[in-house]
Structure formats: structure tokens, C-alpha cells
Amino acid sequence: MASTSSKTPSLPGSNYDVFLSFRGEDTRHSFTDHLYEAFRLRGIEAFRDSENLQLGQEIASELIQAIENSQYAIVVFSEKYADSRWCLDELAEIVECKKNKGLEVVPVFYHVDPSDVRKQTGPFEKAFDEHQKNDRIDKEKIQKWKDAMREVGNLSGEHLLPPHQR
């Protein structure tokens, strides 16, 4: 997919200004859609996966390429983010690109406590417990996911509370 933005990305080979990582069922038709539209209206080229991309179990090469070819990644941590192996694979790839390619990463804590993300407690602990029970998931991969979540969870970001907690 080529960039239609009038801005020239500053990273060599960069096609997108922003890669959005999010759990579709939690935020696709609310926060993430609004964020994506706000970027589009400002001429910021953002990549978000479409619902039909997630047909396979492994992260698609198209998503890896989109992450690698972005200047920024915004990770929208929500209650069910860690339930998805797909999201966790994206997160691990984002951290690799942060380390190796200078990708700038900004976390958004959408109705979740940032300390739950960092420490993998609350809903994140439950999700990782379920992944640990799955014999088809390599234990090293699970540790890589946890390390990536801890690293991004420790970054400065935005904490969005549910309306009843504001």
C-alpha cells in the first residue's frame, strides 16, 4: 500500500506516518476509528488493519511491513489487548523496530491501568495465564510478548479513563 499523504516520511522507506496497534473488538468502532479519522483529516497517513486481515493465526507479512515502514506506532492497550496473539505479535514487532530502526512508540492506556500493563496484572495476567496453558505457543514467545508489553508499558503515554472514573 502506498502512502497517499502529501507529507514525505522522514524515515527511509517509510510509507506511513503512524501504525495503529489495537484490539478490534475493544476499540475498532470507537476510539480507534475516531483517532484514525482525526489523522486522516490532518493529512497524517495511518495504517490500521482491516477486520479481514486477521484470517490466519500468524502475523501477516503485510502487517510486519507496515510496522517497519512507519515512523510512529501507537499501541492502544485495552482490556482484551493481550487476549490476542495477533496483537502481541504486533507488539513484539513494534519493540523490535523501536530498538533496531528507531520507530517512535506511544502507548495509549484505554480504560486500563498502566501499571497492569507494565506488571501484566489484572486482565493482562488472565490473558497470559491462558496463553501459558496453550501447548501450541512457545514459552519463549510468551516471554517475548511479556517483555514487549513491559517495555511499551513503561513509556510515557496517554491514560484514558472510562467516563464514570473521570
PDB file of all heavy atoms in Angstrom, residues 16 26 43 45 56 76 81 98 111-112 114 120 136 145 155:
ATOM      1  N   TYR A  16       4.185   5.044   6.018  1.00  0.00           N
ATOM      2  CA  TYR A  16       3.134   5.512   6.915  1.00  0.00           C
ATOM      3  C   TYR A  16       3.737   6.425   7.971  1.00  0.00           C
ATOM      4  O   TYR A  16       4.847   6.221   8.416  1.00  0.00           O
ATOM      5  CB  TYR A  16       2.437   4.340   7.610  1.00  0.00           C
ATOM      6  CG  TYR A  16       1.787   3.408   6.629  1.00  0.00           C
ATOM      7  CD1 TYR A  16       2.404   2.224   6.254  1.00  0.00           C
ATOM      8  CD2 TYR A  16       0.556   3.724   6.059  1.00  0.00           C
ATOM      9  CE1 TYR A  16       1.817   1.381   5.326  1.00  0.00           C
ATOM     10  CE2 TYR A  16      -0.030   2.885   5.127  1.00  0.00           C
ATOM     11  CZ  TYR A  16       0.604   1.712   4.770  1.00  0.00           C
ATOM     12  OH  TYR A  16       0.029   0.895   3.845  1.00  0.00           O
ATOM     13  N   ASP A  26     -12.362  -4.265  21.159  1.00  0.00           N
ATOM     14  CA  ASP A  26     -12.410  -3.274  22.238  1.00  0.00           C
ATOM     15  C   ASP A  26     -12.556  -1.848  21.720  1.00  0.00           C
ATOM     16  O   ASP A  26     -13.257  -1.042  22.329  1.00  0.00           O
ATOM     17  CB  ASP A  26     -11.130  -3.319  23.087  1.00  0.00           C
ATOM     18  CG  ASP A  26     -11.062  -4.506  24.027  1.00  0.00           C
ATOM     19  OD1 ASP A  26     -12.081  -5.194  24.212  1.00  0.00           O
ATOM     20  OD2 ASP A  26      -9.975  -4.734  24.586  1.00  0.00           O
ATOM     21  N   GLY A  43      -4.117  14.945   7.295  1.00  0.00           N
ATOM     22  CA  GLY A  43      -3.127  14.547   6.300  1.00  0.00           C
ATOM     23  C   GLY A  43      -2.060  13.617   6.845  1.00  0.00           C
ATOM     24  O   GLY A  43      -0.994  13.471   6.250  1.00  0.00           O
ATOM     25  N   GLU A  45      -0.807   9.994   7.403  1.00  0.00           N
ATOM     26  CA  GLU A  45      -1.032   8.674   6.817  1.00  0.00           C
ATOM     27  C   GLU A  45      -0.893   7.609   7.912  1.00  0.00           C
ATOM     28  O   GLU A  45       0.201   7.363   8.409  1.00  0.00           O
ATOM     29  CB  GLU A  45      -0.026   8.422   5.692  1.00  0.00           C
ATOM     30  CG  GLU A  45      -0.278   7.176   4.914  1.00  0.00           C
ATOM     31  CD  GLU A  45      -1.556   7.224   4.078  1.00  0.00           C
ATOM     32  OE1 GLU A  45      -1.986   8.323   3.691  1.00  0.00           O
ATOM     33  OE2 GLU A  45      -2.112   6.154   3.825  1.00  0.00           O
ATOM     34  N   GLY A  56      -5.608 -15.538   9.339  1.00  0.00           N
ATOM     35  CA  GLY A  56      -4.614 -16.538   9.730  1.00  0.00           C
ATOM     36  C   GLY A  56      -4.227 -16.401  11.188  1.00  0.00           C
ATOM     37  O   GLY A  56      -4.570 -15.436  11.855  1.00  0.00           O
ATOM     38  N   VAL A  76      -2.646   0.918  21.420  1.00  0.00           N
ATOM     39  CA  VAL A  76      -3.831   1.189  22.235  1.00  0.00           C
ATOM     40  C   VAL A  76      -4.084  -0.037  23.109  1.00  0.00           C
ATOM     41  O   VAL A  76      -4.677  -1.020  22.683  1.00  0.00           O
ATOM     42  CB  VAL A  76      -5.067   1.508  21.358  1.00  0.00           C
ATOM     43  CG1 VAL A  76      -6.274   1.827  22.235  1.00  0.00           C
ATOM     44  CG2 VAL A  76      -4.769   2.657  20.393  1.00  0.00           C
ATOM     45  N   TYR A  81      -6.629  -6.549  24.944  1.00  0.00           N
ATOM     46  CA  TYR A  81      -5.481  -6.475  24.039  1.00  0.00           C
ATOM     47  C   TYR A  81      -4.621  -7.738  24.115  1.00  0.00           C
ATOM     48  O   TYR A  81      -4.284  -8.338  23.096  1.00  0.00           O
ATOM     49  CB  TYR A  81      -4.634  -5.228  24.352  1.00  0.00           C
ATOM     50  CG  TYR A  81      -3.496  -5.001  23.382  1.00  0.00           C
ATOM     51  CD1 TYR A  81      -3.679  -4.222  22.246  1.00  0.00           C
ATOM     52  CD2 TYR A  81      -2.235  -5.560  23.594  1.00  0.00           C
ATOM     53  CE1 TYR A  81      -2.646  -4.003  21.344  1.00  0.00           C
ATOM     54  CE2 TYR A  81      -1.199  -5.356  22.695  1.00  0.00           C
ATOM     55  CZ  TYR A  81      -1.406  -4.574  21.574  1.00  0.00           C
ATOM     56  OH  TYR A  81      -0.384  -4.379  20.683  1.00  0.00           O
ATOM     57  N   LYS A  98      11.475  -0.534  17.223  1.00  0.00           N
ATOM     58  CA  LYS A  98      11.894   0.559  18.107  1.00  0.00           C
ATOM     59  C   LYS A  98      13.383   0.444  18.378  1.00  0.00           C
ATOM     60  O   LYS A  98      14.124   1.425  18.297  1.00  0.00           O
ATOM     61  CB  LYS A  98      11.106   0.499  19.420  1.00  0.00           C
ATOM     62  CG  LYS A  98      11.500   1.546  20.450  1.00  0.00           C
ATOM     63  CD  LYS A  98      10.686   1.338  21.744  1.00  0.00           C
ATOM     64  CE  LYS A  98      11.038   2.348  22.808  1.00  0.00           C
ATOM     65  NZ  LYS A  98      12.389   2.263  23.307  1.00  0.00           N
ATOM     66  N   HIS A 111      -8.893   2.743  29.083  1.00  0.00           N
ATOM     67  CA  HIS A 111      -9.716   2.138  30.137  1.00  0.00           C
ATOM     68  C   HIS A 111      -8.985   1.017  30.870  1.00  0.00           C
ATOM     69  O   HIS A 111      -9.628   0.098  31.381  1.00  0.00           O
ATOM     70  CB  HIS A 111     -11.043   1.636  29.573  1.00  0.00           C
ATOM     71  CG  HIS A 111     -11.885   2.703  28.962  1.00  0.00           C
ATOM     72  ND1 HIS A 111     -13.120   2.445  28.420  1.00  0.00           N
ATOM     73  CD2 HIS A 111     -11.696   4.039  28.787  1.00  0.00           C
ATOM     74  CE1 HIS A 111     -13.644   3.559  27.950  1.00  0.00           C
ATOM     75  NE2 HIS A 111     -12.786   4.542  28.163  1.00  0.00           N
ATOM     76  N   VAL A 112      -7.657   1.064  30.896  1.00  0.00           N
ATOM     77  CA  VAL A 112      -6.860   0.116  31.676  1.00  0.00           C
ATOM     78  C   VAL A 112      -5.819   0.896  32.476  1.00  0.00           C
ATOM     79  O   VAL A 112      -5.407   1.983  32.095  1.00  0.00           O
ATOM     80  CB  VAL A 112      -6.166  -0.957  30.800  1.00  0.00           C
ATOM     81  CG1 VAL A 112      -7.180  -1.849  30.105  1.00  0.00           C
ATOM     82  CG2 VAL A 112      -5.220  -0.335  29.789  1.00  0.00           C
ATOM     83  N   PRO A 114      -2.213   1.698  33.608  1.00  0.00           N
ATOM     84  CA  PRO A 114      -0.870   1.491  33.046  1.00  0.00           C
ATOM     85  C   PRO A 114      -0.026   0.504  33.856  1.00  0.00           C
ATOM     86  O   PRO A 114       0.763  -0.255  33.285  1.00  0.00           O
ATOM     87  CB  PRO A 114      -0.259   2.893  33.070  1.00  0.00           C
ATOM     88  CG  PRO A 114      -1.427   3.816  33.001  1.00  0.00           C
ATOM     89  CD  PRO A 114      -2.513   3.130  33.773  1.00  0.00           C
ATOM     90  N   GLN A 120       1.734  -6.837  33.978  1.00  0.00           N
ATOM     91  CA  GLN A 120       0.869  -7.907  33.492  1.00  0.00           C
ATOM     92  C   GLN A 120      -0.012  -8.447  34.621  1.00  0.00           C
ATOM     93  O   GLN A 120      -0.044  -9.646  34.912  1.00  0.00           O
ATOM     94  CB  GLN A 120       1.670  -9.040  32.851  1.00  0.00           C
ATOM     95  CG  GLN A 120       2.213  -8.683  31.495  1.00  0.00           C
ATOM     96  CD  GLN A 120       3.699  -8.427  31.520  1.00  0.00           C
ATOM     97  OE1 GLN A 120       4.454  -9.220  32.043  1.00  0.00           O
ATOM     98  NE2 GLN A 120       4.136  -7.330  30.953  1.00  0.00           N
ATOM     99  N   ARG A 136       0.511 -25.001  22.083  1.00  0.00           N
ATOM    100  CA  ARG A 136       0.954 -24.617  20.739  1.00  0.00           C
ATOM    101  C   ARG A 136       1.739 -23.305  20.739  1.00  0.00           C
ATOM    102  O   ARG A 136       2.280 -22.906  19.717  1.00  0.00           O
ATOM    103  CB  ARG A 136      -0.238 -24.507  19.794  1.00  0.00           C
ATOM    104  CG  ARG A 136      -0.916 -25.865  19.552  1.00  0.00           C
ATOM    105  CD  ARG A 136      -2.107 -25.711  18.676  1.00  0.00           C
ATOM    106  NE  ARG A 136      -3.098 -24.914  19.408  1.00  0.00           N
ATOM    107  CZ  ARG A 136      -4.177 -24.386  18.879  1.00  0.00           C
ATOM    108  NH1 ARG A 136      -4.430 -24.526  17.607  1.00  0.00           N
ATOM    109  NH2 ARG A 136      -5.018 -23.689  19.618  1.00  0.00           N
ATOM    110  N   TRP A 145       6.562 -11.622  24.409  1.00  0.00           N
ATOM    111  CA  TRP A 145       5.368 -10.779  24.496  1.00  0.00           C
ATOM    112  C   TRP A 145       5.350  -9.999  25.805  1.00  0.00           C
ATOM    113  O   TRP A 145       5.063  -8.805  25.823  1.00  0.00           O
ATOM    114  CB  TRP A 145       4.107 -11.627  24.416  1.00  0.00           C
ATOM    115  CG  TRP A 145       3.811 -12.269  23.099  1.00  0.00           C
ATOM    116  CD1 TRP A 145       4.305 -11.928  21.867  1.00  0.00           C
ATOM    117  CD2 TRP A 145       2.934 -13.362  22.885  1.00  0.00           C
ATOM    118  NE1 TRP A 145       3.782 -12.760  20.909  1.00  0.00           N
ATOM    119  CE2 TRP A 145       2.929 -13.641  21.496  1.00  0.00           C
ATOM    120  CE3 TRP A 145       2.136 -14.144  23.720  1.00  0.00           C
ATOM    121  CZ2 TRP A 145       2.163 -14.659  20.946  1.00  0.00           C
ATOM    122  CZ3 TRP A 145       1.368 -15.165  23.169  1.00  0.00           C
ATOM    123  CH2 TRP A 145       1.396 -15.417  21.795  1.00  0.00           C
ATOM    124  N   LEU A 155       6.728   3.284  28.808  1.00  0.00           N
ATOM    125  CA  LEU A 155       6.887   4.533  28.067  1.00  0.00           C
ATOM    126  C   LEU A 155       5.821   5.532  28.501  1.00  0.00           C
ATOM    127  O   LEU A 155       4.724   5.158  28.922  1.00  0.00           O
ATOM    128  CB  LEU A 155       6.766   4.278  26.562  1.00  0.00           C
ATOM    129  CG  LEU A 155       7.823   3.375  25.939  1.00  0.00           C
ATOM    130  CD1 LEU A 155       7.469   3.096  24.479  1.00  0.00           C
ATOM    131  CD2 LEU A 155       9.208   3.983  26.064  1.00  0.00           C
TER     132      LEU A 155
END
